[in-house]
Amino acid sequence: MSELIIAAEMPPTSTILVVDDTPTNIQVLFDLLDKSGYQVAIAKSGEAALKCLQRHIPDLILLDVMMPGGIDGFETCQQIKAMPGTGDIPIIFMTALSDPVNRIKGLHLGAVDYITKPIQHEEVLARMNVHLQLHHLKKNLEQQVAARTAALHQALEDLKNTQVQLVHGEKMSSLGQLVAGIAHEINNPVNFIYGNLKPAQDYIHDLLALVDLLRAENPQLSAQVKERIEEIDLDFLRADLPRLLQSMTVGTQRIRDLVLSLRNFSRLDESETKAVDIHEGLESTLLILHNRFKAKAGTVEFTVEKDYGDLPLVECYPSQLNQVFMNILSNSLDALDEAIAHHLIPPDHPPQIRIQTKRIGGDRICIVIADNGPGIDEAIQGKIFDAFFTTKPINKGTGLGLSISYQIIVDKHHGQLRCYSTPGQGTTMEIELPILIPSNHETLLAPTQVHSVL
Ligand SMILES: Nc1ncnc2c1ncn2[C@@H]1O[C@H](COP(=O)(O)OP(=O)(O)OP(=O)(O)O)[C@@H](O)[C@H]1O
Ligand SMILES: [Mg+2]
């Protein structure tokens, strides 16, 4: 409360605008106010008062009601109340009329008080003082409310951001840990198999060679051996066994590649920036999403068209960037799923995701991920980067994918993330990244507030 009272103290000198057409009245008021330490401005008509207000805003207006020859006090009051910037200047009417109807009319038009002529000096000063005090208190309160509202607004924004960071952190680390954990678990046994395949191949080769030798040295086989040879179809077995081992080697090799991709995707060990091959990140992400490339409804397969340019290594936080690819590709897959489910894609127009990478200028690269899904309604295009904005059912989307991606690209990598979408035709997301993250963050412009260019 004390804050309020101190702040509401009257300014050193208040300016009073006196509007009256009678020179004697003006003189009396001028002397009184001047003597009491006020600054006084004079206007001899309603029109002059309105003009004066365009140049200077007084703290209070003393306004005569009866001003013959132009607009009267009531009309002047109405116009002052309607003008921008002057509506809340306290107005006190001065009237010789003892008629209560006119007094009430003045108050209805927005005046704060009235005084009757001939004026009583003490009364005028006392009433003016009360209204000046009230006016300053009101202004001060408004400022405080505005400041508190702004602070609350900021607090809400901060809270939202923190919440996004928390969920993001949680999502990232749990996904990363899961992937890294699985990769680790698979890695050991698969290496075990992979490591034993070659000796197994050699042993089998030796055993078969021995069988051949034995058969060559003993052409007369016993009936029992002959029967057994037929039973196991030895010739087929000999021919098939190396092929079988070969396909086991290929299969194991595939699992090893997959494990490598999973590790590459999670890259938990890399919290610092690293120069990486962007295509590797895209490929690992596609591999992880592989099983989603078959539409849920029906047997349609989504195709991926790649148009990879010649890119240099790009400095980035690799696992976070992979997270962005994952979020954007997942959105496209969701969109294509929806298009298929609602028969929005014509049969001669297969559902497709197109990934293009290119270098732009000497120091930036661009990754474009586009789909021919249903697109995004114009009405919500401006909201898709907002935290928790989703059009997906509960339990399906949290509405965080794009806002997290925006933070990662714009705030962490000083890049840009843009969305172009035409309803009915598809959506294109464009990621622009500097090849080197600028080290002096302060010299950078603040991240743009315009999330999407549509
Ligand atoms: N490729 C796209 N096609 C159509 N709509 C899209 C596409 N990408 C994003 N959207 C729209 O933007 C919204 C926000 O996307 P965002 O990735 O932030 O959240 P989400 O996918 O709904 O949920 P989450 O990613 O957290 O699981 C989506 O709900 C969807 O309406
Ligand atoms: Mg999403």
Side-chain angles (χ1 to χ4, degrees):
M1 214 42 208
S2 61
E3 192 189 341
L4 196 70
I5 290 164
I6 292 164
E9 267 177 2
M10 300 286 288
T13 37
S14 300
T15 309
I16 314 296
L17 173 63
V18 177
V19 189
D20 202 318
D21 61 326
T22 322
T24 344
N25 286 346
I26 294 175
Q27 192 60 54
V28 171
L29 278 167
F30 184 87
D31 289 346
L32 171 68
L33 298 177
D34 186 49
K35 206 169 72 196
S36 310
Y38 292 107
Q39 286 205 344
V40 191
I42 305 289
K44 290 185 177 158
S45 66
E47 289 89 343
L50 294 174
K51 238 187 216 155
C52 173
L53 288 175
Q54 286 172 1
R55 293 189 306 273
H56 182 77
I57 302 290
D59 297 289
L60 186 141
I61 300 173
L62 288 174
L63 180 58
D64 190 19
V65 172
M66 301 296 267
M67 290 183 290
I71 56 171
D72 67 1
F74 293 139
E75 175 66 27
T76 311
C77 175
Q78 248 169 341
Q79 292 203 27
I80 294 174
K81 289 286 154 201
M83 262 163 44
T86 59
D88 65 346
I89 306 173
I91 297 176
I92 299 181
F93 271 121
M94 300 181 291
T95 172
L97 304 169
S98 48
D99 176 5
V101 174
N102 265 331
R103 277 186 238 149
I104 289 166
K105 185 176 175 187
L107 294 173
H108 272 308
L109 289 175
V112 290
D113 208 350
Y114 65 88
I115 48 177
T116 46
K117 293 181 187 174
I119 56 162
Q120 305 294 314
H121 291 195
E122 292 305 315
E123 187 194 350
V124 172
L125 291 177
R127 285 186 190 259
M128 271 178 41
N129 211 16
V130 166
H131 290 296
L132 282 169
Q133 286 269 16
L134 271 177
H135 184 56
H136 284 293
L137 269 174
K138 182 170 160 253
K139 267 193 158 169
N140 194 266
L141 255 180
E142 279 170 0
Q143 274 168 8
Q144 284 196 30
V145 169
R148 295 270 153 88
T149 312
L152 275 176
H153 213 79
Q154 188 56 46
L156 187 68
E157 276 302 302
D158 291 350
L159 195 69
K160 261 189 167 178
N161 270 339
T162 317
Q163 203 173 0
V164 172
Q165 303 277 7
L166 281 174
V167 179
H168 173 207
E170 189 113 316
K171 245 186 151 181
M172 280 288 290
S173 63
S174 54
L175 179 69
Q177 273 165 14
L178 184 79
V179 170
I182 293 172
H184 180 76
E185 288 303 315
I186 299 174
N187 198 37
N188 282 347
V190 99
N191 273 339
F192 195 64
I193 299 172
Y194 188 77
N196 285 334
L197 267 172
K198 183 78 178 76
Q201 244 164 346
D202 292 346
Y203 292 164
I204 287 167
H205 183 262
D206 289 349
L207 279 174
L208 290 175
L210 182 65
V211 169
D212 288 345
L213 185 63
L214 285 172
R215 280 179 84 179
E217 281 188 1
N218 305 292
Q220 299 304 324
L221 298 171
S222 71
Q224 202 186 353
V225 172
K226 271 188 186 162
E227 198 181 319
R228 191 83 183 114
I229 285 176
E230 252 171 55
E231 226 174 75
I232 62 170
D233 198 351
L234 183 65
D235 290 337
F236 175 77
L237 189 150
R238 292 199 86 268
D240 199 39
L241 200 52
R243 287 200 292 266
L244 203 129
L245 282 167
Q246 183 54 28
S247 77
M248 281 166 76
T249 314
V250 171
T252 325
Q253 188 59 49
R254 279 213 197 124
I255 301 174
R256 278 163 57 91
D257 291 348
L258 182 65
V259 168
L260 202 72
S261 285
L262 291 173
R263 285 178 141 183
N264 180 21
F265 177 83
S266 65
R267 298 189 101 139
L268 278 187
D269 39 333
E270 289 159 19
S271 56
E272 290 305 307
T273 62
K274 199 179 163 193
V276 302
D277 177 356
I278 293 290
H279 298 142
E280 229 176 62
L282 284 165
E283 287 298 312
S284 326
T285 314
L286 284 171
L287 201 104
I288 285 172
L289 289 169
H290 188 251
N291 70 333
R292 291 211 45 204
F293 277 79
K294 197 168 241 157
K296 286 194 185 105
T299 51
V300 193
E301 286 248 8
F302 305 150
T303 54
V304 187
E305 190 190 292
K306 294 175 205 165
D307 176 11
Y308 289 169
D310 189 13
L311 294 190
L313 295 183
V314 174
E315 188 195 7
C316 63
Y317 296 90
S319 71
Q320 300 204 7
L321 208 55
N322 289 341
Q323 179 73 29
V324 173
F325 299 153
M326 177 91 155
N327 289 344
I328 293 177
L329 284 165
S330 301
N331 282 347
S332 285
L333 288 164
D334 287 346
L336 292 180
D337 263 335
E338 194 182 308
I340 296 288
H342 294 96
H343 308 288
L344 297 173
I345 296 189
D348 57 332
H349 204 148
Q352 191 187 59
I353 292 179
R354 196 170 49 80
I355 308 176
Q356 190 193 21
T357 60
K358 57 191 173 197
R359 193 170 178 154
I360 35 176
D363 57 354
R364 294 175 87 79
I365 62 132
C366 184
I367 305 148
V368 182
I369 298 177
D371 63 68
N372 58 353
I376 305 173
D377 269 358
E378 263 159 41
I380 59 162
Q381 283 184 4
K383 297 187 192 152
I384 58 167
F385 292 97
D386 290 352
F388 304 109
F389 175 81
T390 181
T391 55
K392 295 170 192 170
I394 303 172
N395 295 334
K396 177 101 179 52
T398 57
L400 282 179
L402 287 180
S403 80
I404 287 168
S405 303
Y406 189 85
Q407 280 186 2
I408 294 176
I409 298 298
V410 178
D411 300 344
K412 279 231 135 176
H413 290 84
H414 299 273
Q416 288 184 32
L417 180 59
R418 294 182 285 257
C419 169
Y420 306 88
S421 185
T422 312
Q425 291 193 15
T427 304
T428 299
M429 302 296 296
E430 226 177 69
I431 306 167
E432 202 180 301
L433 288 173
I435 291 169
L436 287 175
I437 300 176
S439 54
N440 188 356
H441 291 190
E442 273 72 39
T443 58
L444 278 168
L445 292 173
T448 168
Q449 288 302 304
V450 184
H451 291 336
S452 53
V453 181
L454 296 160

